[in-house]
Amino acid sequence: MKKLLGLLLVGILITVLVVGIVKKNVEERQATDRLNAGSVVEFLPTEEGLAEGETAPDFELTTLEGEAVRLSDYKGKKVILNFWATWCPPCRAEMPDMQAFYEQLADEENVEILAVNLTTADKGMDKINAFVDEFNLTFPIPMDTEGDIGELYQAASIPTSYMIDTEGKVQQKIVGPMNEEMMEEFIADME
C-alpha cells in the first residue's frame, strides 16, 4: 500500500511539473508572438504631414552605398519607409521577412523599401555594415546621420514603418516588427 501511495505521489508530482513546463512554454510563445507583431497606430493630425492621407514629408539622405535618395524620387511606387537600428531585437526579427518580401514581390507589386538607419542612435558603421551583410539586405539603406528624419517621422520606438502610396501619401503607420504576410496585406490595400 505504501509503495502504491508513493508511486501515485511521484506520478502526481511529475504531472504537475510537466503541466507547469508546458504552461510556461505556451505563455512565453504568446509573449514572443505579441512582441513580434507590429501594431497599426491611429493617426493624429500633425504639422509634419504624417496623418493618413497626407503627403509624406520629403527628405534627402545618402545611402550606405553613397547614393543620394529623396523620398519624392519614388513617387509612382508604393514605399515601405522603415526606421531601424542594429541593436534593436524587433528590427532584427523583421529584416529577413523584409528582404524576402523585397526579393519575391517588390518588382511585381511596384514597391520600394527604404530602410532608414537611425545612425545617430546606432553603434557605428562597422555594426551597420555587419548587420546589412548578415541579413544580405539588397534594398536601399538611407543613413539618418543627423537624426532629423527619424525625429520628423516620430520614430521614437523602433522599428517604425510607414506605408506610402504611389501618390506619396501616408496610408499606415506600423510600430513594431512586421512579417512578410503583414507587408503583403498592407501593400495590397494601397492604390
Side-chain angles (χ1 to χ4, degrees):
M1 185 68 172
K2 284 184 178 181
K3 192 174 190 177
L4 183 61
L5 198 53
L7 287 173
L8 184 61
L9 184 57
V10 167
I12 290 171
L13 289 173
I14 290 173
T15 302
V16 168
L17 180 64
V18 168
V19 167
I21 290 171
V22 169
K23 183 178 177 186
K24 181 180 178 190
N25 286 343
V26 168
E27 289 171 354
E28 286 176 357
R29 177 66 179 188
Q30 289 172 341
T32 299
D33 288 347
R34 282 191 300 273
L35 175 66
N36 289 333
S39 302
V40 175
V41 179
E42 291 296 320
F43 287 102
L44 298 174
T46 66
E47 291 179 17
E48 294 86 1
L50 295 174
E52 183 176 359
E54 293 183 355
T55 300
D58 198 15
F59 60 83
E60 182 175 331
L61 291 174
T62 302
T63 67
L64 196 54
E65 290 78 30
E67 297 176 27
V69 295
R70 295 179 62 88
L71 179 60
S72 57
D73 293 342
Y74 299 97
K75 195 165 185 177
K77 290 189 125 191
K78 299 173 188 176
V79 176
I80 298 174
L81 179 61
N82 174 262
F83 294 90
W84 65 280
T86 60
W87 50 263
C88 162
C91 299
R92 294 183 67 79
E94 81 176 348
M95 283 299 171
D97 285 298
M98 198 169 290
Q99 181 61 37
F101 175 86
Y102 189 71
E103 289 173 2
Q104 296 166 13
L105 294 170
D107 286 338
E108 178 182 322
E109 296 291 334
N110 191 34
V111 177
E112 186 61 73
I113 294 175
L114 295 177
V116 177
N117 175 264
L118 299 175
T119 315
T120 57
D122 218 320
K123 300 193 180 253
M125 291 306 296
D126 290 343
K127 296 280 187 192
I128 295 166
N129 284 315
F131 185 97
V132 169
D133 290 345
E134 177 183 349
F135 292 105
N136 297 311
L137 303 180
T138 58
F139 42 79
I141 310 283
M143 308 299 288
D144 187 9
T145 58
E146 302 296 320
D148 298 338
I149 308 308
E151 186 176 317
L152 173 67
Y153 275 85
Q154 303 170 3
S157 176
I158 55 173
T160 292
S161 298
Y162 286 86
M163 299 295 160
I164 301 170
D165 68 17
T166 57
E167 296 298 315
K169 297 187 183 305
V170 175
Q171 296 300 311
Q172 298 281 344
K173 178 181 180 181
I174 300 90
V175 176
M178 295 184 293
N179 60 37
E180 192 174 351
E181 182 180 311
M182 291 171 70
M183 290 177 227
E184 289 174 23
E185 288 174 14
F186 289 130
I187 292 301
D189 288 344
M190 285 197 293
E191 296 291 322

